Amino acid sequence: QMMDEEVQVNEITYNAVIKSCRKGKEWRRSLNVLKQMMEKDLPRTVVTYNSLLSSNLEWQQAEKLLKDLQKVLQVSIISYNSILNVYGQSGCWESALLSAIKLERRGMHTELLTQNTVATACERCKQWRTTLAILVSIQKERSKVDAFSCSTGINACGRCAKWRKAIDILQTFGH
């Protein structure tokens, strides 16, 4: 009986498809779904864009999506965290760091997740000094560093064979 009924397809349906593509690591297909939404003149929401930004896009695609999002909707910290993650996965630690600085200058409150995302981008690119500077910044701002932040700093030092620094991090920031 359900097969005989026609389903009303809307932005929620399309967002679900984008999310499925994201989980299947099919970012190109998710962009095609966005294109279909635009062709059908369906509303795109922050959920739509955040799902796309979390789809393991190439950094150039992520930047374009963020610019599109900024034109039509209020951008959330989740959107910015997603693009920072894309930068980190793409080896663009400088872009992640500069974007986070711009967020703070705009007066947007950055979360610990934001700072950890930037630290992880730096860690992946063997920028141990910058990662440690972020840890110090987190400690100054929040009075303590969480286990994830501490591990990121240790991993950054490990990638660069700075084992003494890794021990220092454990002693300085370990709880």
Side-chain angles (χ1 to χ4, degrees):
Q1 183 179 8
M2 286 183 72
M3 298 299 276
D4 294 336
E5 295 178 25
E6 192 170 313
V7 176
Q8 181 67 34
V9 178
N10 59 22
E11 67 275 7
I12 296 169
T13 313
Y14 278 86
N15 286 344
V17 173
I18 290 171
K19 185 177 179 181
S20 294
C21 291
R22 182 188 81 212
K23 288 187 176 194
K25 300 188 186 326
E26 294 287 338
W27 65 267
R28 284 185 177 90
R29 291 184 197 274
S30 65
L31 290 175
N32 286 335
V33 174
L34 175 65
K35 185 178 176 184
Q36 290 173 19
M37 288 180 78
M38 294 168 103
E39 288 168 358
K40 293 180 187 265
D41 201 29
L42 289 171
R44 276 93 53 211
T45 65
V46 173
V47 172
T48 307
Y49 284 96
N50 287 347
S51 289
L52 287 162
L53 287 168
S54 300
S55 297
N56 295 319
L57 298 169
E58 294 174 351
W59 67 268
Q60 299 93 333
Q61 289 290 335
E63 282 183 344
K64 183 181 180 315
L65 277 173
L66 187 64
K67 285 178 185 170
D68 290 347
L69 172 59
Q70 288 171 327
K71 290 177 191 173
V72 293
L73 296 167
Q74 178 73 29
V75 181
S76 72
I77 193 68
I78 295 167
S79 306
Y80 287 114
N81 287 342
S82 295
I83 197 163
L84 294 174
N85 190 47
V86 170
Y87 286 142
Q89 290 174 350
S90 302
C92 301
W93 67 272
E94 299 102 330
S95 295
L97 186 60
L98 289 173
S99 293
I101 291 168
K102 286 179 188 176
L103 286 176
E104 289 180 7
R105 285 186 182 156
R106 287 186 196 146
M108 191 165 218
H109 176 70
T110 57
E111 302 172 339
L112 180 59
L113 175 63
T114 307
Q115 293 166 310
N116 280 338
T117 303
V118 176
T120 300
C122 295
E123 176 258 323
R124 286 179 178 152
C125 296
K126 299 181 180 180
Q127 300 298 315
W128 66 273
R129 286 184 179 95
T130 307
T131 305
L132 295 185
I134 293 168
L135 290 183
V136 169
S137 172
I138 291 170
Q139 186 178 38
K140 284 181 183 175
E141 237 178 78
R142 304 185 188 283
S143 76
K144 73 180 200 179
V145 174
D146 71 347
F148 185 87
S149 306
C150 190
S151 295
T152 301
I154 290 168
N155 289 337
C157 292
R159 285 181 185 259
C160 299
K162 301 291 181 188
W163 60 271
R164 284 189 178 103
K165 289 286 182 190
I167 291 171
D168 289 347
I169 291 170
L170 186 60
Q171 292 172 344
T172 303
F173 299 110
H175 308 316

